[in-house]
Amino acid sequence: MIPVAEARERILSAFSPLPAEVVGLADGLGRVTAEDIVSRLTQPPAAMSAMDGYAVRAADVGTVPATLRRIGEVPAGQSFKGRVGAGETVRIFTGAPLPDGADAVVIQEDTESEGDAVTVLHPVPPDRHVRRAGIDFKAGDVGIPAGRPLTARDIGLAAAMNWPWLRVRRRPRVAILATGDEIILPGEPLGPDQIVSSNAFAIAGLVAACGGVPINLGVAGDTAESLLHFIKGGERADILVTSGGASAGEYDLVRDVLGDRGMELDFYKIAMRPGKPLMFGRLGDVPVLGLPGNPVSSQVCAILFLIPALRRLMGMAIGSEPRRKALLGRSVKRNDQREDYLRATLSVDATGNLIAKPFESQDSSLLTVLARADCLVVRPPFAPPAEAGDSVEILPLGGGVLSF
């Protein structure tokens, strides 16, 4: 068995960012930028009024009341062709460019007007209610860095920077294959010795949530012929993910059949719980990640190893998992040589401390426990017993996906 950290590094070393493709701005949400998005213009392009009121020279309204002569007006989308001189003002509206000669705006509520005479009742300093040119961004500024999943806010910024299309990483294609004669699809007639497939659907959901394209290959039976038939559907994927093996032993059939077909096995079994029987290798040009058959083991391993691989494929930064500190909500026993990931709930006590309370049962078949979990409590190999109130590391879960 190899340590979790070593398994992670060996998996990540097999991947590199996918090629870029161009998508329309409206299709960019959630996609990962393949290059910096650099502004094509300056925003605002000139000094603009931030309020409805009067464009003035601050020097003319330092002492109030001060009466000025209105020489024109400028709505948004137009500009004043003249220049504001001493004792003059221009009626201005929000978003309109500041006329030459003016350096401040007096809001209309602070004025009185009669004909072309405008009396300013409150003084304003230079730049008051003025948005200077480039205060938001300037041409050539990096607005959105490469390797960032685009949010709705990013889409708005890219549009403001005058980008109708974007270069993003191609979405990773992930082929997912469940194995086992005992596995049937949801809704099919259930025999006395059969179980409903859940792993493939959970992994597909995780892949989609991370920005990938899940390709559900179905369920392969416990024969070499069946396995080889279904695996053909993943030959053009960026990664093939299998779940479970044969009744003779976890992954024995998958490993042997793929090995006979030329798979180069990197490692098999890691020192963690749940998830010891994890396999990783390469079949031709396609990396193969073999997940355990137990539902919880499968999902925990996908969170720890598949998500970072997808991030690498999409050109995103790879850091350590976002581990946080919390206080234990119940005591836990001494750990053995395997790194433990205990499903737990999170709460906040009266003093603001984050409390992680592991579920009493940590059986790797209990999907209800995983669905209710808010985090995984990380217990290092050979960790001593810990009592309620002791500090521990946790991996927060968000909608079933770690917020890497």
Side-chain angles (χ1 to χ4, degrees), residues 9 19 41 66 99 114 121 131 139 156 159 179 218 228-229 244 250 261 282 284 296 306 332 341 356 366-367 387:
E9 290 306 313
L41 47 76
E114 184 176 347
L121 305 177
R131 298 187 178 112
T179 64
L228 290 173
H229 170 75
E250 190 80 57
R261 200 180 175 196
R282 180 178 289 274
V296 174
L306 179 57
V332 293
Y341 292 84
L366 301 182
L367 277 174
E387 301 297 327

Side-chain angles (χ1 to χ4, degrees), residues 230-296:
F230 280 93
I231 281 176
K232 288 181 180 179
E235 289 178 346
R236 301 184 66 181
D238 297 302
I239 179 172
L240 169 63
V241 178
T242 64
S243 172
S247 58
E250 190 80 57
Y251 286 115
D252 288 348
L253 180 64
V254 174
R255 184 175 53 179
D256 291 346
V257 170
L258 295 188
D260 290 342
R261 200 180 175 196
M263 182 183 72
E264 299 176 6
L265 182 66
D266 188 328
F267 65 82
Y268 170 58
K269 294 185 180 180
I270 54 178
M272 67 175 287
R273 182 189 298 106
K276 174 183 174 183
L278 183 83
M279 178 188 74
F280 184 69
R282 180 178 289 274
L283 182 63
D285 294 330
V286 181
V288 179
L289 180 65
L291 299 176
N294 280 330
V296 174

